[in-house]
Amino acid sequence: MPIESPQHRPPHDMNCPMLQIATGCTHGRCRFCDIFIDVPFSAVPMEEVVADIEQIARHASALTRRIYLTGGNPFALPTERLTAVFDAVEERIPTVKGYGGFCRIMDIARKTDDELALLASRGVNEITIGAESGFDEALDFMQKGHSAADIVEQGRRLHKAGIGFTFFYLAGMAGAGRGQQNARASAEVFSAAGPSRILVVTLTPTKTWPLARAIREGRWQPPTEGEIAREIQTFVGALACPCAVNCSHDTDIIKFEGMVPADRQNMVALLDNLIPKMDEGAARRLREMLHRATF
Ligand code: SF4
C-alpha cells in the first residue's frame, strides 16, 4: 500500500526503508497531535505488507539491515503479528537484522517480559518513544496517556529485555511559567528510565491541534521563546544518564547536539552564551513560518 502520510522518522533512522504495518494510533488523544484524529488503529492486511516487502526487496542491497516500521504505534500490534512480519521480511530480504519504529510507553506495558525478550531476539532495538515529559501535570493536561512512573517502569523493562530506546522531549509542553518544573522533573524521570538518545522538539501549536481550544479558552498559554530555551538548558544540565542529546528539530531555535556526560557542560555553556542574544519576535516568527504555528 502507499505509505500514508504524514510519516515521521527520527534522524538516526532516516536511511532505513519504511514499512507500514499499521494505520492510526491506538491512543489518538494527545492535545498536541492531529496526525491520527479520526484514523482508527488497525493492522495493515498481511497481503499488503508482503507486497510492500517485495517492493523494498527490489531496491535492497547488502546494506539493507534495518527496517523502520510505521503506523502511529506499530508495536501495539500483537507480538505474533510483529514476528510474522519479521519472518516475511527476512524471507525476502535476509540482510535485515533489526527493526525500529514509534512505540508508546503503554504499548510496552501491555507486552509481557517474555514478549519483550522475544522482540529483542528478533532484532527490535532503538525504538522511538514519545515520552515527551516526566512532569505529571503536563502529561495529564496533554492527555498523553502515561505517567512519569510509567516512563520509569517501562524504561527499566526495556533495559531488562535488552531493547535500546530513544525518547522525545517536548520542550514547552507544561505551558507558560512552568518550564523549569518541567525540565527538572523530566530530567529526573528520563535519567531513571535511561534512554540511549533524547530528541528535543519544541512544542509549536497549530489551529488543528486539540490544544487550540485550550489556548482560546485561556486554559494553556505558550511559554516565551526565552523560557523554552532556558527550560532546555535546565533539562540538559540535569540529565544524569549517559545518552546522546539532539536538539536540532526545525522547531528548535538554538540547535545543538552532544553526549551526556561528556558534552553536557559545553551544551549548557552554549545556551548560556546564545540565550541572551535571542530575539523573541524573530524566533517566534520563524516557528510560525516553518510550522504554520498559531500561538
Ligand atoms: S501517542 Fe503519538 S501519534 Fe498517538 S496521539 Fe499521541 S502524539 Fe499522536
Side-chain angles (χ1 to χ4, degrees):
M1 72 184 291
I3 294 273
E4 293 193 356
S5 62
Q7 297 286 347
H8 301 276
R9 267 177 301 178
H12 54 276
D13 271 331
M14 278 303 176
N15 294 323
C16 292
M18 290 198 288
L19 177 64
Q20 184 165 356
I21 63 169
T23 53
C25 164
T26 53
H27 184 58
R29 297 189 62 227
C30 300
R31 285 189 200 259
F32 52 83
C33 175
D34 57 7
I35 305 174
F36 297 113
I37 288 176
D38 298 330
V39 183
F41 182 83
S42 67
V44 172
M46 203 61 189
E47 319 80 73
E48 291 182 32
V49 173
V50 169
D52 289 348
I53 292 169
E54 283 298 330
Q55 274 206 8
I56 295 170
R58 268 181 238 132
H59 302 282
S61 72
L63 298 176
T64 309
R65 300 181 66 79
R66 181 169 164 88
I67 296 282
Y68 199 78
L69 304 172
T70 77
N73 55 331
F75 289 104
L77 290 173
T79 301
E80 312 81 68
R81 168 53 78 103
L82 292 166
T83 55
V85 169
F86 303 160
D87 289 342
V89 168
E90 289 158 36
E91 189 183 322
R92 193 64 186 82
I93 320 171
T95 50
V96 171
K97 304 288 178 222
Y99 302 89
F102 277 109
C103 183
R104 297 190 66 244
I105 288 287
M106 300 319 284
D107 298 338
I108 304 156
R110 292 186 185 103
K111 299 220 181 286
T112 66
D113 288 349
D114 285 347
E115 287 178 301
L116 292 179
L118 173 62
L119 291 174
S121 75
R122 294 299 307 264
V124 171
N125 203 356
E126 227 28 77
I127 55 176
T128 308
I129 301 172
E132 324 292 11
S133 165
F135 183 36
D136 273 329
E137 283 177 40
L139 290 167
D140 283 351
F141 181 79
M142 291 295 179
Q143 301 179 167
K144 186 62 207 174
H146 64 238
S147 67
D150 293 326
I151 295 173
V152 175
E153 183 184 351
Q154 301 314 322
R156 287 183 176 151
R157 291 186 65 229
L158 285 173
H159 276 293
K160 193 171 149 211
I163 297 177
F165 52 98
T166 293
F167 275 172
F168 275 100
Y169 176 63
L170 192 53
M173 178 167 150
R178 302 207 297 170
Q180 292 300 308
Q181 271 176 293
N182 192 32
R184 283 192 290 272
S186 299
E188 186 178 339
V189 166
F190 282 27
S191 298
S196 52
R197 188 182 286 107
I198 296 173
L199 304 174
V200 179
V201 173
T202 302
L203 187 138
T204 304
T206 74
K207 273 190 186 135
T208 49
W209 284 1
L211 181 63
R213 183 170 176 184
I215 295 174
R216 272 198 312 276
E217 293 172 353
R219 289 183 289 118
W220 189 92
Q221 289 175 339
T224 63
E225 301 296 323
E227 182 178 1
I228 294 170
R230 285 188 292 276
E231 172 187 333
I232 293 171
Q233 183 185 38
T234 300
F235 173 69
V236 172
L239 280 173
C241 60
C243 63
V245 176
N246 180 317
C247 180
S248 62
H249 190 259
D250 283 351
T251 56
D252 299 322
I253 293 297
I254 299 177
K255 298 187 182 352
F256 60 90
E257 58 185 318
M259 301 298 296
V260 171
D263 304 318
R264 180 172 41 215
Q265 282 319 311
N266 281 342
M267 292 188 278
V268 169
L270 175 90
L271 287 157
D272 252 341
N273 180 25
L274 293 181
I275 289 172
K277 297 173 186 157
M278 280 176 73
D279 180 318
E280 181 73 26
R284 184 57 58 95
R285 283 194 298 281
L286 181 67
R287 294 208 291 130
E288 285 174 343
M289 184 185 74
L290 286 177
H291 283 267
R292 295 198 197 122
T294 44
F295 288 91

